[in-house]
């Protein structure tokens, strides 16, 4: 098997100890999607430049090489200044990174999602007010982008049972593996057609954001599994 060398640019989304002195590092990259590499000697050595670079929120260019899918990290360079979100915005970054790390397949580039990820990090870093009302539109839009990229975002414009266009005056039940189906307005957890059309057109009112959160909470386990998210333990109100 021949030695394969990759050059990529991206962000650290997760890292964990590996053997005695190394780290396993998950990157989200523009060129290859999620890549997991071995950073030899990056753990326990406080003088290691590599250790200081392998942090979230830094846009990096790096090389990795190996004869298997798990490659060894080589050169690492910082491409821009590290971002610095504060307060709840920082916890939002932890959350976004965690769902990415759990949802993304290995080695599949998803350029639109990478662009959305960069934009979301920048928006969270630029915030001067990190209230729930401020961060939730960024989170919901990113979650929708992730679900869309992986083929799990429901169609907000049509009834999945008969293909009819969503009626703004009607109500719908969300079936997570199928989509939205017409139902009685009194049915528990029914969603108004108006809110679905708002979501379809990117109109994120407070009520639309609440509907979006409900839809994401039901759908996200399809791509990340049922295990509790560690980031939600830090930020219970997400």
């Amino acid at each position: 098997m021949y030695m394969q060398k990759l050059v990529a640019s991206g962000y650290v989304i997760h890292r964990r100890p590996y053997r005695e002195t190394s780290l396993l590092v998950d990157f989200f990259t523009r060129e290859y999607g999620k890549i997991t590499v071995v950073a030899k000697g990056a753990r326990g050595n406080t003088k290691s430049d590599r250790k200081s670079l392998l942090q979230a929120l830094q846009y990096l260019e790096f090389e990795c090489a190996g004869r298997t899918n798990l490659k060894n990290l080589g050169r690492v360079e910082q491409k821009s200044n590290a971002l610095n979100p504060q307060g709840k915005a920082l916890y939002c970054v932890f959350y976004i990174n965690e769902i990415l790390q759990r949802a993304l397949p290995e080695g599949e580039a998803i350029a639109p999602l990478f662009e959305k990820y960069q934009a979301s990090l920048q928006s969270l870093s630029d915030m001067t007010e990190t209230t729930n009302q401020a961060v939730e539109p960024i989170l919901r839009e990113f979650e929708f982008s992730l679900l869309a990229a992986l083929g799990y975002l429901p169609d907000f414009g049509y009834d999945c049972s008969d293909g009819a266009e969503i009626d703004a005056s009607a109500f719908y039940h969300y079936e997570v593996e199928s989509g939205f189906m017409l139902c009685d307005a009194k049915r528990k957890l029914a969603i108004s057609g108006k809110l679905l059309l708002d979501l379809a057109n990117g109109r994120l009112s407070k009520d639309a954001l609440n509907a979006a959160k409900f839809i994401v909470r039901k759908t996200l386990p399809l791509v990340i599994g049922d295990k509790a998210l560690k980031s939600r333990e830090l930020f219970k109100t997400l």
Side-chain angles (χ1 to χ4, degrees):
M1 185 178 295
Y2 68 93
M3 177 78 72
Q4 185 183 26
K5 182 177 180 180
L6 302 178
V7 179
S9 54
Y11 298 82
V12 173
I13 57 173
H14 187 247
R15 56 182 227 175
R16 53 215 180 272
Y18 182 68
R19 296 181 176 171
E20 292 184 3
T21 62
S22 301
L23 292 170
L24 279 180
V25 183
D26 294 323
F27 285 95
F28 182 33
T29 71
R30 184 187 301 277
E31 298 85 358
Y32 304 103
K34 186 175 80 170
I35 298 178
T36 303
V37 302
V38 178
K40 292 184 176 180
R43 184 163 59 96
N45 182 357
T46 57
K47 296 181 180 180
S48 170
D49 292 337
R50 180 177 295 186
K51 180 179 180 180
S52 64
L53 285 174
L54 295 177
Q55 307 287 341
L57 296 164
Q58 297 194 93
Y59 188 37
L60 305 173
E61 182 178 275
F62 64 94
E63 295 178 357
C64 58
R67 292 185 171 87
T68 66
N69 288 336
L70 184 59
K71 294 176 172 51
N72 293 318
L73 183 66
R75 174 183 63 87
V76 184
E77 293 181 5
Q78 188 172 354
K79 300 297 290 182
S80 61
N81 292 333
L83 299 172
N84 189 32
Q86 300 294 315
K88 290 182 180 179
L90 180 59
Y91 291 123
C92 290
V93 173
F94 295 157
Y95 168 74
I96 287 173
N97 283 349
E98 186 174 9
I99 62 174
L100 269 180
Q101 192 268 335
R102 286 172 54 171
L104 291 179
E106 190 82 13
E108 293 185 20
I110 312 175
L113 183 61
F114 185 84
E115 299 295 338
K116 186 65 177 178
Y117 176 73
Q118 280 194 307
S120 299
L121 293 187
Q122 190 65 60
S123 294
L124 290 167
S125 297
D126 290 343
M127 298 181 73
T128 57
E129 181 182 7
T130 58
T131 62
N132 286 356
Q133 292 78 9
V135 301
E136 282 190 2
I138 298 171
L139 291 181
R140 302 294 87 85
E141 288 183 359
F142 183 80
E143 290 162 339
F144 277 10
S145 295
L146 174 62
L147 293 173
L150 299 178
Y152 286 91
L153 187 69
D155 191 331
F156 298 108
Y158 295 90
D159 186 320
C160 69
S161 62
D162 60 8
E165 292 186 359
I166 294 293
D167 181 349
S169 63
F171 286 81
Y172 295 84
H173 166 67
Y174 178 46
E175 188 64 41
V176 69
E177 295 188 3
S178 303
F180 302 99
M181 292 177 281
L182 191 67
C183 71
D184 189 279
K186 295 181 180 179
R187 178 167 178 160
K188 186 178 180 180
L189 303 178
I191 305 172
S192 76
K194 179 183 181 303
L195 291 180
L196 294 180
L197 293 175
D198 284 345
L199 292 175
N201 291 287
R203 297 190 292 265
L204 298 180
S205 65
K206 182 178 179 180
D207 288 340
L209 285 170
N210 287 335
K213 180 186 286 189
F214 166 73
I215 293 163
V216 167
R217 288 288 178 88
K218 290 197 70 174
T219 312
L220 202 56
L222 295 178
V223 296
I224 68 170
D226 295 324
K227 185 179 177 180
L229 289 163
K230 293 181 180 179
S231 52
R232 281 193 183 148
E233 296 173 7
L234 298 173
F235 191 16
K236 299 293 187 180
T237 57
L238 279 176

